[in-house]
Amino acid sequence: MLSCTSLRYGILLAAMLLLAGFAAELLSVIGILPIVTGSYLGLLLAASAVLLILGLFLVSMLPPVARRLAECER
Protein backbone atom coordinates (compact mmCIF):
# COMPACT_ATOMS: atom_id res chain seq x y z
CA MET A 1 0.00 0.00 0.00
CA LEU A 2 0.94 3.62 -0.34
CA SER A 3 2.66 5.26 2.61
CA CYS A 4 3.92 8.78 3.21
CA THR A 5 7.46 7.85 2.21
CA SER A 6 6.48 5.96 -0.93
CA LEU A 7 4.21 8.84 -2.01
CA ARG A 8 7.08 11.28 -1.53
CA TYR A 9 9.46 9.06 -3.53
CA GLY A 10 6.86 8.63 -6.27
CA ILE A 11 6.47 12.38 -6.64
CA LEU A 12 10.25 12.84 -6.76
CA LEU A 13 10.53 10.09 -9.37
CA ALA A 14 7.85 11.78 -11.50
CA ALA A 15 9.72 15.08 -11.26
CA MET A 16 12.97 13.42 -12.33
CA LEU A 17 11.22 11.70 -15.25
CA LEU A 18 9.77 15.03 -16.38
CA LEU A 19 13.17 16.74 -16.16
CA ALA A 20 14.79 13.87 -18.05
CA GLY A 21 12.13 14.25 -20.76
CA PHE A 22 12.88 17.95 -21.07
CA ALA A 23 16.61 17.19 -21.20
CA ALA A 24 16.10 14.62 -23.98
CA GLU A 25 14.10 17.16 -25.97
CA LEU A 26 16.78 19.79 -25.43
CA LEU A 27 19.55 17.42 -26.49
CA SER A 28 17.67 16.54 -29.65
CA VAL A 29 17.12 20.23 -30.51
CA ILE A 30 20.81 20.99 -29.94
CA GLY A 31 21.80 18.08 -32.16
CA ILE A 32 23.44 15.70 -29.70
CA LEU A 33 20.63 13.15 -30.04
CA PRO A 34 18.91 12.33 -33.30
CA ILE A 35 15.69 14.35 -33.65
CA VAL A 36 13.32 11.38 -33.87
CA THR A 37 14.94 9.41 -31.06
CA GLY A 38 15.17 12.40 -28.73
CA SER A 39 11.61 13.48 -29.43
CA TYR A 40 10.14 10.05 -28.79
CA LEU A 41 12.31 9.54 -25.72
CA GLY A 42 11.33 12.94 -24.32
CA LEU A 43 7.66 12.29 -25.02
CA LEU A 44 7.84 8.85 -23.41
CA LEU A 45 9.54 10.19 -20.28
CA ALA A 46 7.15 13.13 -19.90
CA ALA A 47 4.09 10.93 -20.48
CA SER A 48 5.31 8.38 -17.95
CA ALA A 49 5.76 11.18 -15.38
CA VAL A 50 2.17 12.31 -15.94
CA LEU A 51 0.86 8.74 -15.70
CA LEU A 52 2.82 8.18 -12.49
CA ILE A 53 1.38 11.31 -10.88
CA LEU A 54 -2.12 10.34 -12.04
CA GLY A 55 -1.70 6.82 -10.65
CA LEU A 56 -0.44 8.13 -7.32
CA PHE A 57 -3.39 10.50 -7.13
CA LEU A 58 -5.95 7.80 -7.88
CA VAL A 59 -4.44 5.35 -5.39
CA SER A 60 -4.25 8.03 -2.71
CA MET A 61 -8.00 8.65 -3.08
CA LEU A 62 -8.89 5.12 -1.93
CA PRO A 63 -10.41 5.32 1.58
CA PRO A 64 -7.90 3.10 3.47
CA VAL A 65 -4.95 4.81 1.83
CA ALA A 66 -6.43 8.27 2.39
CA ARG A 67 -6.82 7.53 6.11
CA ARG A 68 -3.20 6.39 6.34
CA LEU A 69 -1.95 9.45 4.42
CA ALA A 70 -4.00 11.78 6.64
CA GLU A 71 -1.81 10.69 9.58
CA CYS A 72 1.40 11.84 7.88
CA GLU A 73 3.45 14.45 9.66
CA ARG A 74 4.11 17.48 7.54
Side-chain angles (χ1 to χ4, degrees):
M1 293 299 273
L2 195 61
S3 67
C4 300
T5 307
S6 61
L7 179 67
R8 199 172 296 130
Y9 287 143
I11 291 171
L12 287 174
L13 177 64
M16 287 189 294
L17 284 171
L18 189 63
L19 288 175
F22 287 149
E25 287 287 334
L26 180 68
L27 290 176
S28 68
V29 167
I30 291 173
I32 296 174
L33 287 176
I35 296 289
V36 175
T37 305
S39 294
Y40 283 132
L41 181 63
L43 180 64
L44 178 70
L45 289 170
S48 63
V50 170
L51 289 176
L52 179 62
I53 289 288
L54 182 63
L56 287 172
F57 173 72
L58 291 177
V59 169
S60 70
M61 296 304 289
L62 296 173
V65 178
R67 278 193 296 272
R68 183 179 303 125
L69 291 175
E71 298 171 359
C72 291
E73 294 181 15
R74 289 161 183 48

